[in-house]
Amino acid sequence: MSLNGSMQTMNKVQEISLIGILAAVNIASRVALQMLPNIKPVTSIIIISVLLFGLAFGIKLTIVTTLVSNMLLGMGLWTVFQILAWIVICLLTQLLVELFFMFKKKPPTLMMAVFSFLMGYVFGFIVSLEQFVLGGLGLFLTYYSSGILFDTFHAVGNFIFYLMAAPILIKIANMKGLSKNS
C-alpha cells in the first residue's frame, strides 16, 4: 500500500527512471553535504518514496542509493548495515502506512516528520551494530554512545528535510499521474 491506500501502478520504464532520479538526488546530497555530520535528505526521501510508491520501490531506491554513493564515498562492511538500516526504515514506514489505512486515513505530514526524526535514531542504532559484529558488545556500546550526537543531527535533519521534501514530491507525483491521489 502507498500514500493513497493502493499499490501504485507504473510501468518499468517509469519506475526505473524515478528510482534513477531520486537516487541521483540522494547520491548528490550525500556527496555534496558530506561535510555536515549525518545531515542529508536521504532517509526522508526514502520514507516519502515508500509512502508514494510502496515498499518494493523504497527498497530498490535504498539499494541503488547506498551502493552508488558508497562507491564514491567509501565501501565497507558499513554499507551492508546502511542498506539494512534503510530497509528496516522502509518496513517500519510501510507498517505505519498500513496502520493508517486500516482507519482509511492518510498519515499527517507533521506526524510523518516526527516519524522521520525518530528514524534518525533507528538508522544510527542499526549502523552501529557493525561494531558489535567486529568487536562485540563493548565496542558496540562505546561506538553507539559516542555517536548519539550524530544520530541527533540525523534526526533533526530528517525532520526538516521531510517537511521540505514531502509536499514537493507528493505534488510532483500527483501532477505526473504517478500517484492515485491525482
Side-chain angles (χ1 to χ4, degrees):
M1 237 183 274
S2 62
L3 185 60
N4 58 31
S6 65
M7 290 301 292
Q8 297 301 313
T9 55
M10 69 174 86
N11 66 44
K12 285 292 179 192
V13 172
Q14 288 174 318
E15 181 183 30
I16 291 167
S17 298
L18 192 52
I19 288 170
I21 291 166
L22 292 174
V25 170
N26 284 343
I27 294 159
S29 74
R30 286 191 77 200
V31 171
L33 300 174
Q34 65 183 315
M35 72 296 240
L36 299 175
N38 294 12
I39 302 171
K40 322 280 184 295
V42 177
T43 302
S44 296
I45 291 172
I46 288 171
I47 290 169
I48 296 163
S49 76
V50 173
L51 289 173
L52 289 172
F53 309 114
L55 178 61
F57 185 96
I59 291 171
K60 292 171 192 173
L61 177 59
T62 291
I63 292 168
V64 171
T65 295
T66 310
L67 291 177
V68 175
S69 60
N70 282 7
M71 285 179 194
L72 300 169
L73 298 171
M75 192 77 71
L77 182 58
W78 60 85
T79 302
V80 174
F81 285 89
Q82 289 173 329
I83 291 171
L84 177 62
W86 276 315
I87 288 175
V88 167
I89 290 169
C90 288
L91 291 167
L92 292 172
T93 303
Q94 185 65 30
L95 287 172
L96 185 62
V97 169
E98 288 177 7
L99 179 67
F100 270 90
F101 284 119
M102 284 175 43
F103 301 102
K104 301 189 185 321
K105 295 185 177 193
K106 293 179 186 174
T109 301
L110 185 58
M111 195 216 73
M112 289 307 300
V114 171
F115 174 80
S116 294
F117 175 88
L118 296 173
M119 293 304 100
Y121 292 102
V122 169
F123 183 88
F125 179 81
I126 294 171
V127 169
S128 296
L129 290 174
E130 173 201 13
Q131 300 306 311
F132 180 78
V133 171
L134 294 174
L137 184 61
L139 182 58
F140 166 75
L141 291 174
T142 302
Y143 183 85
Y144 180 69
S145 63
S146 66
I148 289 177
L149 177 62
F150 295 98
D151 294 344
T152 302
F153 292 150
H154 188 177
V156 170
N158 287 351
F159 182 84
I160 293 167
F161 284 123
Y162 187 90
L163 291 175
M164 290 171 41
I168 296 166
L169 292 176
I170 291 167
K171 184 175 183 175
I172 290 170
N174 288 338
M175 285 175 28
K176 296 295 182 185
L178 297 174
S179 172
K180 301 284 184 193
N181 294 328
S182 55

